[in-house]
Amino acid sequence: MYRSHTCGELRESDIDQEVTLAGWVQKTRDKGFVVWVDLRDRYGITQLIFDEERTSQELLEQGRTLGREFVIQVKGLVIERTSKNSNIPTGGIEVLVKELRLLNSSKTPPFTIEDQTDGGEDLRMKYRYLDIRRNPVKENLIFRSKVTMEVRKYLSKEGFIEVETPYLIKSTPEGARDFVVPSRMNEGQFYALPQSPQTFKQLLMVGGMDKYFQIVKCFRDEDLRADRQPEFTQIDCEMAFVEQDDILNAFEGLTRHLLKEIKGVETTKFPRMTFDEAMAKYGNDKPDIRFGMEFGELNAIAQHKDFTIFNTAELVVGIAVPGGASYTRKEIDALVDWVRRPQVGAKGMVYVKCNEDGTFKSSVDKFYDQDDLAKWAQATGAKTGDLICVLSGNADQTRGQLSALRMEMAERLGLRKKDIFAPLWILDFPLLELDEETGRYHAMHHPFTSPKPGQMGLLETEPGKVKANAYDLVLNGNEIGGGSIRIHDKEIQSTMFRHLGFTPEEAKAQFGFLMDAFQFGAPPHGGIAFGLDRLVAILGGQETIRDFIAFPKNNSGRDVMIDAPAPIDDAQLKELNLKLDL
């Protein structure tokens, strides 16, 4: 037995016990007549003491040879600590070492294994197995495990069956590029790694499984960022014989359960908002509603004067920044420069200060009088002491720019509080979106999403106006889940493929297996998929999903620890009947 207790377990009630501990040396302190060693494992730290009055000289010298991250086993007596440490649970005791066994030595680590380390991100990713020993990373992985277990508990209690689906599948167009895998046994043919188990979970509904879930790896070959990895994990779910409300109620229940069990937060029924309303009020389809600053459209009250910039704009829209009237001219100029950055793309910004005396001071005082500006304040909900920020131009672009400004101001004002959780359902997305370069429509979600009831006829006449029977769950400005009621009728699915530009032959080649299944009594069905990595990060109060993944990739999609991806040798290429042309 390597240990009788963990390094986080012993307390003053254990004094005078003989114990066996094992772990890593966190640090040593040699005072000549006494050596202290902090021994660490997953559970905590226990201080060991080698004392020349109570320890043999040989054992004391052994203790002096211990380096950082050495793996050791000790046997000893739990004694009361003379100088107690209230910062750790074991701070009232220490272990007087009677026996020491070196299990493994260690090179000096490339960075300190401390909560506040001196290692940069690239270095820590290269030595991720060392980084995991640090409390912040360790606790994140334990936190992820806790969330995952709660998901399984809740869905199992609700009658969902966990079913695994294949990783080696057929390449199908789902929006992003597939990762492909050559088949040795089928020369010149390739598997794809699944972007999601979409068609398989629909086939499980055809198979009568009724309620399915899976915590599953998915793969997309796309550009990376802080909240995106080439491989990621979904909580993938599907239900048969359901309508939209059934899905929303079921997975609102899951989310409320997680907020209560993981964060101790009680939530009432989640608000619901249409896609069009979200775009009009917040400029994006995943609004953060922990704070206000809703958009106020100003076209009707700003396009009647001689200000050409507004008069020629498709949209004039503003937000009221709380307390912003106190900003200096220099601070406002910095805001104007911020919205002009290429990442935002605005040409400029008009501002109005709502002064304490009830008057208004604006960058366009030449064109608008006090009555005009008072109407702007009313439209944006601005109060005394606020700053109205106004953008104008193309409607879609301007909403996106003002949304970016709204989020930036909320960040600066400390309004995006990590301990507040504001969930929201977004409904009635457009079914299709037009690619202006190709003139073709693409599915906004995926080709299996059903139109809203009664809108099938619009596909032939005004496809851009058809709403999808789809929904996203948003939490604190992040989409954490999305899904839809699926098409379960072969003829409707064929019509959808036609509107997406598939010939009957292409549709059959890509999705013939699904179309065939629909001929054998496919039930009405729908589902949702949560991004587990993102959900865990939000619940954990952090921005990047990498912090909650054991072995993440960097922004170039590389695993710098194992140096992957990597070339394969000529013999492997020959076996796979592949030739590189680089």
PDB file of all heavy atoms in Angstrom, residues 309-310 315 317 333-350 389-394 396-406:
ATOM      1  N   ILE A 309     -24.917  62.138 -43.362  1.00  0.00           N
ATOM      2  CA  ILE A 309     -24.473  60.795 -42.946  1.00  0.00           C
ATOM      3  C   ILE A 309     -25.660  59.977 -42.452  1.00  0.00           C
ATOM      4  O   ILE A 309     -25.802  58.802 -42.807  1.00  0.00           O
ATOM      5  CB  ILE A 309     -23.388  60.910 -41.854  1.00  0.00           C
ATOM      6  CG1 ILE A 309     -22.115  61.512 -42.451  1.00  0.00           C
ATOM      7  CG2 ILE A 309     -23.096  59.551 -41.223  1.00  0.00           C
ATOM      8  CD1 ILE A 309     -21.035  61.803 -41.424  1.00  0.00           C
ATOM      9  N   PHE A 310     -26.529  60.591 -41.658  1.00  0.00           N
ATOM     10  CA  PHE A 310     -27.712  59.881 -41.170  1.00  0.00           C
ATOM     11  C   PHE A 310     -28.758  59.739 -42.263  1.00  0.00           C
ATOM     12  O   PHE A 310     -29.408  58.690 -42.391  1.00  0.00           O
ATOM     13  CB  PHE A 310     -28.312  60.611 -39.974  1.00  0.00           C
ATOM     14  CG  PHE A 310     -27.582  60.395 -38.670  1.00  0.00           C
ATOM     15  CD1 PHE A 310     -26.459  59.582 -38.605  1.00  0.00           C
ATOM     16  CD2 PHE A 310     -28.033  61.008 -37.504  1.00  0.00           C
ATOM     17  CE1 PHE A 310     -25.788  59.389 -37.401  1.00  0.00           C
ATOM     18  CE2 PHE A 310     -27.369  60.822 -36.302  1.00  0.00           C
ATOM     19  CZ  PHE A 310     -26.243  60.016 -36.250  1.00  0.00           C
ATOM     20  N   LEU A 315     -29.710  52.444 -41.566  1.00  0.00           N
ATOM     21  CA  LEU A 315     -30.073  52.340 -40.156  1.00  0.00           C
ATOM     22  C   LEU A 315     -29.274  53.357 -39.345  1.00  0.00           C
ATOM     23  O   LEU A 315     -28.061  53.493 -39.514  1.00  0.00           O
ATOM     24  CB  LEU A 315     -29.771  50.929 -39.630  1.00  0.00           C
ATOM     25  CG  LEU A 315     -30.027  50.691 -38.133  1.00  0.00           C
ATOM     26  CD1 LEU A 315     -31.525  50.762 -37.820  1.00  0.00           C
ATOM     27  CD2 LEU A 315     -29.462  49.341 -37.688  1.00  0.00           C
ATOM     28  N   VAL A 317     -28.804  53.977 -35.249  1.00  0.00           N
ATOM     29  CA  VAL A 317     -29.154  53.256 -34.032  1.00  0.00           C
ATOM     30  C   VAL A 317     -28.155  53.614 -32.933  1.00  0.00           C
ATOM     31  O   VAL A 317     -26.978  53.875 -33.199  1.00  0.00           O
ATOM     32  CB  VAL A 317     -29.174  51.728 -34.299  1.00  0.00           C
ATOM     33  CG1 VAL A 317     -27.805  51.214 -34.704  1.00  0.00           C
ATOM     34  CG2 VAL A 317     -29.738  50.954 -33.123  1.00  0.00           C
ATOM     35  N   ASP A 333     -12.977  60.327 -27.730  1.00  0.00           N
ATOM     36  CA  ASP A 333     -12.189  60.151 -28.959  1.00  0.00           C
ATOM     37  C   ASP A 333     -11.588  58.755 -29.021  1.00  0.00           C
ATOM     38  O   ASP A 333     -11.506  58.153 -30.103  1.00  0.00           O
ATOM     39  CB  ASP A 333     -11.071  61.198 -29.027  1.00  0.00           C
ATOM     40  CG  ASP A 333     -11.599  62.596 -29.348  1.00  0.00           C
ATOM     41  OD1 ASP A 333     -12.765  62.699 -29.788  1.00  0.00           O
ATOM     42  OD2 ASP A 333     -10.840  63.573 -29.160  1.00  0.00           O
ATOM     43  N   ALA A 334     -11.189  58.234 -27.878  1.00  0.00           N
ATOM     44  CA  ALA A 334     -10.648  56.870 -27.840  1.00  0.00           C
ATOM     45  C   ALA A 334     -11.723  55.853 -28.204  1.00  0.00           C
ATOM     46  O   ALA A 334     -11.450  54.837 -28.867  1.00  0.00           O
ATOM     47  CB  ALA A 334     -10.073  56.574 -26.456  1.00  0.00           C
ATOM     48  N   LEU A 335     -12.975  56.114 -27.784  1.00  0.00           N
ATOM     49  CA  LEU A 335     -14.088  55.236 -28.168  1.00  0.00           C
ATOM     50  C   LEU A 335     -14.321  55.282 -29.674  1.00  0.00           C
ATOM     51  O   LEU A 335     -14.579  54.250 -30.312  1.00  0.00           O
ATOM     52  CB  LEU A 335     -15.376  55.660 -27.460  1.00  0.00           C
ATOM     53  CG  LEU A 335     -15.684  55.081 -26.087  1.00  0.00           C
ATOM     54  CD1 LEU A 335     -17.072  55.528 -25.647  1.00  0.00           C
ATOM     55  CD2 LEU A 335     -15.589  53.569 -26.109  1.00  0.00           C
ATOM     56  N   VAL A 336     -14.250  56.473 -30.248  1.00  0.00           N
ATOM     57  CA  VAL A 336     -14.418  56.620 -31.700  1.00  0.00           C
ATOM     58  C   VAL A 336     -13.328  55.828 -32.417  1.00  0.00           C
ATOM     59  O   VAL A 336     -13.596  55.114 -33.395  1.00  0.00           O
ATOM     60  CB  VAL A 336     -14.382  58.107 -32.117  1.00  0.00           C
ATOM     61  CG1 VAL A 336     -14.434  58.236 -33.637  1.00  0.00           C
ATOM     62  CG2 VAL A 336     -15.545  58.865 -31.476  1.00  0.00           C
ATOM     63  N   ASP A 337     -12.100  55.922 -31.925  1.00  0.00           N
ATOM     64  CA  ASP A 337     -11.003  55.160 -32.529  1.00  0.00           C
ATOM     65  C   ASP A 337     -11.252  53.660 -32.391  1.00  0.00           C
ATOM     66  O   ASP A 337     -10.930  52.882 -33.287  1.00  0.00           O
ATOM     67  CB  ASP A 337      -9.668  55.521 -31.857  1.00  0.00           C
ATOM     68  CG  ASP A 337      -9.204  56.928 -32.201  1.00  0.00           C
ATOM     69  OD1 ASP A 337      -9.685  57.468 -33.222  1.00  0.00           O
ATOM     70  OD2 ASP A 337      -8.380  57.485 -31.446  1.00  0.00           O
ATOM     71  N   TRP A 338     -11.855  53.261 -31.254  1.00  0.00           N
ATOM     72  CA  TRP A 338     -12.122  51.836 -31.020  1.00  0.00           C
ATOM     73  C   TRP A 338     -13.109  51.284 -32.054  1.00  0.00           C
ATOM     74  O   TRP A 338     -12.888  50.216 -32.609  1.00  0.00           O
ATOM     75  CB  TRP A 338     -12.669  51.636 -29.601  1.00  0.00           C
ATOM     76  CG  TRP A 338     -12.714  50.196 -29.194  1.00  0.00           C
ATOM     77  CD1 TRP A 338     -11.742  49.466 -28.583  1.00  0.00           C
ATOM     78  CD2 TRP A 338     -13.812  49.288 -29.414  1.00  0.00           C
ATOM     79  NE1 TRP A 338     -12.146  48.176 -28.402  1.00  0.00           N
ATOM     80  CE2 TRP A 338     -13.418  48.033 -28.898  1.00  0.00           C
ATOM     81  CE3 TRP A 338     -15.068  49.407 -29.985  1.00  0.00           C
ATOM     82  CZ2 TRP A 338     -14.239  46.907 -28.937  1.00  0.00           C
ATOM     83  CZ3 TRP A 338     -15.897  48.289 -30.040  1.00  0.00           C
ATOM     84  CH2 TRP A 338     -15.489  47.060 -29.518  1.00  0.00           C
ATOM     85  N   VAL A 339     -14.189  52.018 -32.341  1.00  0.00           N
ATOM     86  CA  VAL A 339     -15.176  51.512 -33.304  1.00  0.00           C
ATOM     87  C   VAL A 339     -14.650  51.579 -34.736  1.00  0.00           C
ATOM     88  O   VAL A 339     -15.161  50.889 -35.624  1.00  0.00           O
ATOM     89  CB  VAL A 339     -16.531  52.247 -33.198  1.00  0.00           C
ATOM     90  CG1 VAL A 339     -17.138  52.067 -31.823  1.00  0.00           C
ATOM     91  CG2 VAL A 339     -16.420  53.713 -33.579  1.00  0.00           C
ATOM     92  N   ARG A 340     -13.612  52.398 -34.970  1.00  0.00           N
ATOM     93  CA  ARG A 340     -13.038  52.491 -36.306  1.00  0.00           C
ATOM     94  C   ARG A 340     -12.014  51.386 -36.588  1.00  0.00           C
ATOM     95  O   ARG A 340     -11.563  51.255 -37.718  1.00  0.00           O
ATOM     96  CB  ARG A 340     -12.351  53.859 -36.478  1.00  0.00           C
ATOM     97  CG  ARG A 340     -13.315  55.003 -36.734  1.00  0.00           C
ATOM     98  CD  ARG A 340     -12.579  56.322 -36.785  1.00  0.00           C
ATOM     99  NE  ARG A 340     -13.431  57.412 -37.261  1.00  0.00           N
ATOM    100  CZ  ARG A 340     -13.148  58.698 -37.096  1.00  0.00           C
ATOM    101  NH1 ARG A 340     -12.029  59.055 -36.454  1.00  0.00           N
ATOM    102  NH2 ARG A 340     -13.967  59.634 -37.554  1.00  0.00           N
ATOM    103  N   ARG A 341     -11.644  50.628 -35.570  1.00  0.00           N
ATOM    104  CA  ARG A 341     -10.676  49.560 -35.780  1.00  0.00           C
ATOM    105  C   ARG A 341     -11.199  48.590 -36.842  1.00  0.00           C
ATOM    106  O   ARG A 341     -12.412  48.372 -36.952  1.00  0.00           O
ATOM    107  CB  ARG A 341     -10.432  48.780 -34.488  1.00  0.00           C
ATOM    108  CG  ARG A 341      -9.806  49.594 -33.372  1.00  0.00           C
ATOM    109  CD  ARG A 341      -9.602  48.723 -32.134  1.00  0.00           C
ATOM    110  NE  ARG A 341     -10.782  47.909 -31.858  1.00  0.00           N
ATOM    111  CZ  ARG A 341     -10.723  46.667 -31.366  1.00  0.00           C
ATOM    112  NH1 ARG A 341      -9.576  46.107 -31.095  1.00  0.00           N
ATOM    113  NH2 ARG A 341     -11.838  46.004 -31.138  1.00  0.00           N
ATOM    114  N   PRO A 342     -10.299  47.968 -37.619  1.00  0.00           N
ATOM    115  CA  PRO A 342     -10.751  47.017 -38.651  1.00  0.00           C
ATOM    116  C   PRO A 342     -11.614  45.892 -38.095  1.00  0.00           C
ATOM    117  O   PRO A 342     -12.508  45.402 -38.780  1.00  0.00           O
ATOM    118  CB  PRO A 342      -9.424  46.472 -39.217  1.00  0.00           C
ATOM    119  CG  PRO A 342      -8.410  47.527 -38.924  1.00  0.00           C
ATOM    120  CD  PRO A 342      -8.838  48.167 -37.636  1.00  0.00           C
ATOM    121  N   GLN A 343     -11.354  45.485 -36.836  1.00  0.00           N
ATOM    122  CA  GLN A 343     -12.143  44.399 -36.253  1.00  0.00           C
ATOM    123  C   GLN A 343     -13.602  44.792 -36.065  1.00  0.00           C
ATOM    124  O   GLN A 343     -14.477  43.925 -35.989  1.00  0.00           O
ATOM    125  CB  GLN A 343     -11.559  43.984 -34.899  1.00  0.00           C
ATOM    126  CG  GLN A 343     -10.120  43.502 -34.961  1.00  0.00           C
ATOM    127  CD  GLN A 343      -9.134  44.606 -34.665  1.00  0.00           C
ATOM    128  OE1 GLN A 343      -9.252  45.708 -35.197  1.00  0.00           O
ATOM    129  NE2 GLN A 343      -8.154  44.316 -33.830  1.00  0.00           N
ATOM    130  N   VAL A 344     -13.887  46.102 -35.943  1.00  0.00           N
ATOM    131  CA  VAL A 344     -15.264  46.582 -35.780  1.00  0.00           C
ATOM    132  C   VAL A 344     -15.778  47.155 -37.100  1.00  0.00           C
ATOM    133  O   VAL A 344     -16.849  46.798 -37.566  1.00  0.00           O
ATOM    134  CB  VAL A 344     -15.358  47.617 -34.647  1.00  0.00           C
ATOM    135  CG1 VAL A 344     -16.800  48.108 -34.478  1.00  0.00           C
ATOM    136  CG2 VAL A 344     -14.847  47.024 -33.332  1.00  0.00           C
ATOM    137  N   GLY A 345     -15.007  48.093 -37.679  1.00  0.00           N
ATOM    138  CA  GLY A 345     -15.301  48.547 -39.038  1.00  0.00           C
ATOM    139  C   GLY A 345     -16.220  49.724 -39.191  1.00  0.00           C
ATOM    140  O   GLY A 345     -16.644  50.039 -40.307  1.00  0.00           O
ATOM    141  N   ALA A 346     -16.572  50.421 -38.091  1.00  0.00           N
ATOM    142  CA  ALA A 346     -17.417  51.609 -38.239  1.00  0.00           C
ATOM    143  C   ALA A 346     -16.596  52.777 -38.793  1.00  0.00           C
ATOM    144  O   ALA A 346     -15.386  52.852 -38.586  1.00  0.00           O
ATOM    145  CB  ALA A 346     -18.023  51.991 -36.890  1.00  0.00           C
ATOM    146  N   LYS A 347     -17.279  53.684 -39.509  1.00  0.00           N
ATOM    147  CA  LYS A 347     -16.583  54.849 -40.071  1.00  0.00           C
ATOM    148  C   LYS A 347     -16.455  55.974 -39.053  1.00  0.00           C
ATOM    149  O   LYS A 347     -15.633  56.886 -39.210  1.00  0.00           O
ATOM    150  CB  LYS A 347     -17.316  55.341 -41.315  1.00  0.00           C
ATOM    151  CG  LYS A 347     -17.245  54.355 -42.474  1.00  0.00           C
ATOM    152  CD  LYS A 347     -17.981  54.874 -43.696  1.00  0.00           C
ATOM    153  CE  LYS A 347     -17.899  53.881 -44.846  1.00  0.00           C
ATOM    154  NZ  LYS A 347     -18.657  54.364 -46.040  1.00  0.00           N
ATOM    155  N   GLY A 348     -17.276  55.944 -38.014  1.00  0.00           N
ATOM    156  CA  GLY A 348     -17.227  56.972 -36.993  1.00  0.00           C
ATOM    157  C   GLY A 348     -18.337  56.757 -35.988  1.00  0.00           C
ATOM    158  O   GLY A 348     -19.066  55.756 -36.046  1.00  0.00           O
ATOM    159  N   MET A 349     -18.477  57.674 -35.050  1.00  0.00           N
ATOM    160  CA  MET A 349     -19.504  57.553 -34.015  1.00  0.00           C
ATOM    161  C   MET A 349     -19.976  58.944 -33.605  1.00  0.00           C
ATOM    162  O   MET A 349     -19.163  59.858 -33.404  1.00  0.00           O
ATOM    163  CB  MET A 349     -18.940  56.826 -32.796  1.00  0.00           C
ATOM    164  CG  MET A 349     -19.970  56.561 -31.699  1.00  0.00           C
ATOM    165  SD  MET A 349     -19.224  55.847 -30.206  1.00  0.00           S
ATOM    166  CE  MET A 349     -18.677  57.341 -29.359  1.00  0.00           C
ATOM    167  N   VAL A 350     -21.265  59.109 -33.496  1.00  0.00           N
ATOM    168  CA  VAL A 350     -21.869  60.331 -32.968  1.00  0.00           C
ATOM    169  C   VAL A 350     -22.185  60.089 -31.494  1.00  0.00           C
ATOM    170  O   VAL A 350     -22.619  58.993 -31.122  1.00  0.00           O
ATOM    171  CB  VAL A 350     -23.151  60.695 -33.749  1.00  0.00           C
ATOM    172  CG1 VAL A 350     -23.942  61.781 -33.033  1.00  0.00           C
ATOM    173  CG2 VAL A 350     -22.798  61.118 -35.165  1.00  0.00           C
ATOM    174  N   CYS A 389     -24.322  56.651 -27.603  1.00  0.00           N
ATOM    175  CA  CYS A 389     -23.397  56.372 -28.702  1.00  0.00           C
ATOM    176  C   CYS A 389     -24.221  55.932 -29.900  1.00  0.00           C
ATOM    177  O   CYS A 389     -25.025  54.988 -29.790  1.00  0.00           O
ATOM    178  CB  CYS A 389     -22.412  55.276 -28.318  1.00  0.00           C
ATOM    179  SG  CYS A 389     -21.368  55.694 -26.908  1.00  0.00           S
ATOM    180  N   VAL A 390     -24.025  56.596 -31.044  1.00  0.00           N
ATOM    181  CA  VAL A 390     -24.860  56.369 -32.222  1.00  0.00           C
ATOM    182  C   VAL A 390     -23.970  55.973 -33.404  1.00  0.00           C
ATOM    183  O   VAL A 390     -22.967  56.625 -33.700  1.00  0.00           O
ATOM    184  CB  VAL A 390     -25.666  57.616 -32.592  1.00  0.00           C
ATOM    185  CG1 VAL A 390     -26.557  57.341 -33.802  1.00  0.00           C
ATOM    186  CG2 VAL A 390     -26.513  58.076 -31.404  1.00  0.00           C
ATOM    187  N   LEU A 391     -24.368  54.879 -34.082  1.00  0.00           N
ATOM    188  CA  LEU A 391     -23.711  54.440 -35.317  1.00  0.00           C
ATOM    189  C   LEU A 391     -24.748  54.423 -36.430  1.00  0.00           C
ATOM    190  O   LEU A 391     -25.954  54.335 -36.175  1.00  0.00           O
ATOM    191  CB  LEU A 391     -23.095  53.051 -35.152  1.00  0.00           C
ATOM    192  CG  LEU A 391     -22.047  52.872 -34.050  1.00  0.00           C
ATOM    193  CD1 LEU A 391     -21.526  51.440 -34.054  1.00  0.00           C
ATOM    194  CD2 LEU A 391     -20.901  53.856 -34.213  1.00  0.00           C
ATOM    195  N   SER A 392     -24.268  54.454 -37.665  1.00  0.00           N
ATOM    196  CA  SER A 392     -25.195  54.439 -38.805  1.00  0.00           C
ATOM    197  C   SER A 392     -24.523  53.791 -40.003  1.00  0.00           C
ATOM    198  O   SER A 392     -23.299  53.665 -40.065  1.00  0.00           O
ATOM    199  CB  SER A 392     -25.619  55.869 -39.161  1.00  0.00           C
ATOM    200  OG  SER A 392     -24.488  56.636 -39.554  1.00  0.00           O
ATOM    201  N   GLY A 393     -25.376  53.357 -40.960  1.00  0.00           N
ATOM    202  CA  GLY A 393     -24.863  52.742 -42.182  1.00  0.00           C
ATOM    203  C   GLY A 393     -25.740  51.591 -42.615  1.00  0.00           C
ATOM    204  O   GLY A 393     -26.945  51.568 -42.337  1.00  0.00           O
ATOM    205  N   ASN A 394     -25.129  50.603 -43.291  1.00  0.00           N
ATOM    206  CA  ASN A 394     -25.834  49.379 -43.673  1.00  0.00           C
ATOM    207  C   ASN A 394     -26.410  48.715 -42.428  1.00  0.00           C
ATOM    208  O   ASN A 394     -25.728  48.604 -41.410  1.00  0.00           O
ATOM    209  CB  ASN A 394     -24.859  48.445 -44.385  1.00  0.00           C
ATOM    210  CG  ASN A 394     -25.427  47.067 -44.615  1.00  0.00           C
ATOM    211  OD1 ASN A 394     -25.347  46.212 -43.739  1.00  0.00           O
ATOM    212  ND2 ASN A 394     -26.004  46.851 -45.783  1.00  0.00           N
ATOM    213  N   ASP A 396     -27.297  45.586 -41.363  1.00  0.00           N
ATOM    214  CA  ASP A 396     -26.679  44.413 -40.741  1.00  0.00           C
ATOM    215  C   ASP A 396     -25.304  44.758 -40.171  1.00  0.00           C
ATOM    216  O   ASP A 396     -24.963  44.364 -39.047  1.00  0.00           O
ATOM    217  CB  ASP A 396     -26.557  43.270 -41.756  1.00  0.00           C
ATOM    218  CG  ASP A 396     -27.907  42.678 -42.121  1.00  0.00           C
ATOM    219  OD1 ASP A 396     -28.883  42.903 -41.360  1.00  0.00           O
ATOM    220  OD2 ASP A 396     -28.001  42.006 -43.167  1.00  0.00           O
ATOM    221  N   GLN A 397     -24.504  45.487 -40.942  1.00  0.00           N
ATOM    222  CA  GLN A 397     -23.169  45.836 -40.476  1.00  0.00           C
ATOM    223  C   GLN A 397     -23.230  46.743 -39.247  1.00  0.00           C
ATOM    224  O   GLN A 397     -22.473  46.564 -38.288  1.00  0.00           O
ATOM    225  CB  GLN A 397     -22.384  46.520 -41.598  1.00  0.00           C
ATOM    226  CG  GLN A 397     -22.040  45.603 -42.758  1.00  0.00           C
ATOM    227  CD  GLN A 397     -21.356  46.343 -43.893  1.00  0.00           C
ATOM    228  OE1 GLN A 397     -21.227  47.574 -43.870  1.00  0.00           O
ATOM    229  NE2 GLN A 397     -20.923  45.607 -44.907  1.00  0.00           N
ATOM    230  N   THR A 398     -24.126  47.713 -39.269  1.00  0.00           N
ATOM    231  CA  THR A 398     -24.222  48.667 -38.167  1.00  0.00           C
ATOM    232  C   THR A 398     -24.662  47.973 -36.885  1.00  0.00           C
ATOM    233  O   THR A 398     -24.147  48.264 -35.796  1.00  0.00           O
ATOM    234  CB  THR A 398     -25.185  49.808 -38.528  1.00  0.00           C
ATOM    235  OG1 THR A 398     -24.709  50.458 -39.717  1.00  0.00           O
ATOM    236  CG2 THR A 398     -25.283  50.826 -37.408  1.00  0.00           C
ATOM    237  N   ARG A 399     -25.611  47.051 -36.995  1.00  0.00           N
ATOM    238  CA  ARG A 399     -26.025  46.310 -35.796  1.00  0.00           C
ATOM    239  C   ARG A 399     -24.845  45.522 -35.218  1.00  0.00           C
ATOM    240  O   ARG A 399     -24.649  45.473 -34.004  1.00  0.00           O
ATOM    241  CB  ARG A 399     -27.194  45.375 -36.132  1.00  0.00           C
ATOM    242  CG  ARG A 399     -28.521  46.102 -36.338  1.00  0.00           C
ATOM    243  CD  ARG A 399     -29.696  45.140 -36.369  1.00  0.00           C
ATOM    244  NE  ARG A 399     -30.944  45.860 -36.551  1.00  0.00           N
ATOM    245  CZ  ARG A 399     -31.596  45.954 -37.701  1.00  0.00           C
ATOM    246  NH1 ARG A 399     -31.103  45.352 -38.796  1.00  0.00           N
ATOM    247  NH2 ARG A 399     -32.717  46.634 -37.800  1.00  0.00           N
ATOM    248  N   GLY A 400     -24.070  44.891 -36.094  1.00  0.00           N
ATOM    249  CA  GLY A 400     -22.908  44.140 -35.622  1.00  0.00           C
ATOM    250  C   GLY A 400     -21.880  45.034 -34.945  1.00  0.00           C
ATOM    251  O   GLY A 400     -21.301  44.680 -33.916  1.00  0.00           O
ATOM    252  N   GLN A 401     -21.662  46.220 -35.518  1.00  0.00           N
ATOM    253  CA  GLN A 401     -20.694  47.166 -34.934  1.00  0.00           C
ATOM    254  C   GLN A 401     -21.156  47.676 -33.577  1.00  0.00           C
ATOM    255  O   GLN A 401     -20.376  47.743 -32.618  1.00  0.00           O
ATOM    256  CB  GLN A 401     -20.481  48.325 -35.901  1.00  0.00           C
ATOM    257  CG  GLN A 401     -19.778  47.929 -37.195  1.00  0.00           C
ATOM    258  CD  GLN A 401     -20.043  48.889 -38.340  1.00  0.00           C
ATOM    259  OE1 GLN A 401     -20.754  49.891 -38.189  1.00  0.00           O
ATOM    260  NE2 GLN A 401     -19.486  48.586 -39.501  1.00  0.00           N
ATOM    261  N   LEU A 402     -22.452  48.017 -33.471  1.00  0.00           N
ATOM    262  CA  LEU A 402     -22.966  48.524 -32.205  1.00  0.00           C
ATOM    263  C   LEU A 402     -23.010  47.413 -31.153  1.00  0.00           C
ATOM    264  O   LEU A 402     -22.796  47.662 -29.956  1.00  0.00           O
ATOM    265  CB  LEU A 402     -24.354  49.132 -32.387  1.00  0.00           C
ATOM    266  CG  LEU A 402     -24.873  49.961 -31.201  1.00  0.00           C
ATOM    267  CD1 LEU A 402     -23.950  51.140 -30.906  1.00  0.00           C
ATOM    268  CD2 LEU A 402     -26.294  50.459 -31.463  1.00  0.00           C
ATOM    269  N   SER A 403     -23.256  46.193 -31.592  1.00  0.00           N
ATOM    270  CA  SER A 403     -23.214  45.061 -30.664  1.00  0.00           C
ATOM    271  C   SER A 403     -21.821  44.909 -30.070  1.00  0.00           C
ATOM    272  O   SER A 403     -21.666  44.682 -28.857  1.00  0.00           O
ATOM    273  CB  SER A 403     -23.615  43.768 -31.386  1.00  0.00           C
ATOM    274  OG  SER A 403     -23.454  42.651 -30.532  1.00  0.00           O
ATOM    275  N   ALA A 404     -20.797  45.039 -30.919  1.00  0.00           N
ATOM    276  CA  ALA A 404     -19.419  44.951 -30.418  1.00  0.00           C
ATOM    277  C   ALA A 404     -19.137  46.062 -29.421  1.00  0.00           C
ATOM    278  O   ALA A 404     -18.499  45.837 -28.375  1.00  0.00           O
ATOM    279  CB  ALA A 404     -18.437  45.015 -31.587  1.00  0.00           C
ATOM    280  N   LEU A 405     -19.624  47.281 -29.713  1.00  0.00           N
ATOM    281  CA  LEU A 405     -19.422  48.409 -28.797  1.00  0.00           C
ATOM    282  C   LEU A 405     -20.164  48.173 -27.479  1.00  0.00           C
ATOM    283  O   LEU A 405     -19.628  48.446 -26.399  1.00  0.00           O
ATOM    284  CB  LEU A 405     -19.894  49.709 -29.453  1.00  0.00           C
ATOM    285  CG  LEU A 405     -19.797  50.973 -28.591  1.00  0.00           C
ATOM    286  CD1 LEU A 405     -18.354  51.255 -28.183  1.00  0.00           C
ATOM    287  CD2 LEU A 405     -20.400  52.175 -29.317  1.00  0.00           C
ATOM    288  N   ARG A 406     -21.376  47.666 -27.570  1.00  0.00           N
ATOM    289  CA  ARG A 406     -22.158  47.380 -26.354  1.00  0.00           C
ATOM    290  C   ARG A 406     -21.412  46.412 -25.443  1.00  0.00           C
ATOM    291  O   ARG A 406     -21.319  46.628 -24.227  1.00  0.00           O
ATOM    292  CB  ARG A 406     -23.514  46.791 -26.762  1.00  0.00           C
ATOM    293  CG  ARG A 406     -24.381  46.334 -25.597  1.00  0.00           C
ATOM    294  CD  ARG A 406     -25.706  45.763 -26.076  1.00  0.00           C
ATOM    295  NE  ARG A 406     -26.532  45.337 -24.963  1.00  0.00           N
ATOM    296  CZ  ARG A 406     -26.535  44.098 -24.475  1.00  0.00           C
ATOM    297  NH1 ARG A 406     -25.774  43.156 -25.025  1.00  0.00           N
ATOM    298  NH2 ARG A 406     -27.307  43.784 -23.437  1.00  0.00           N
TER     299      ARG A 406
END
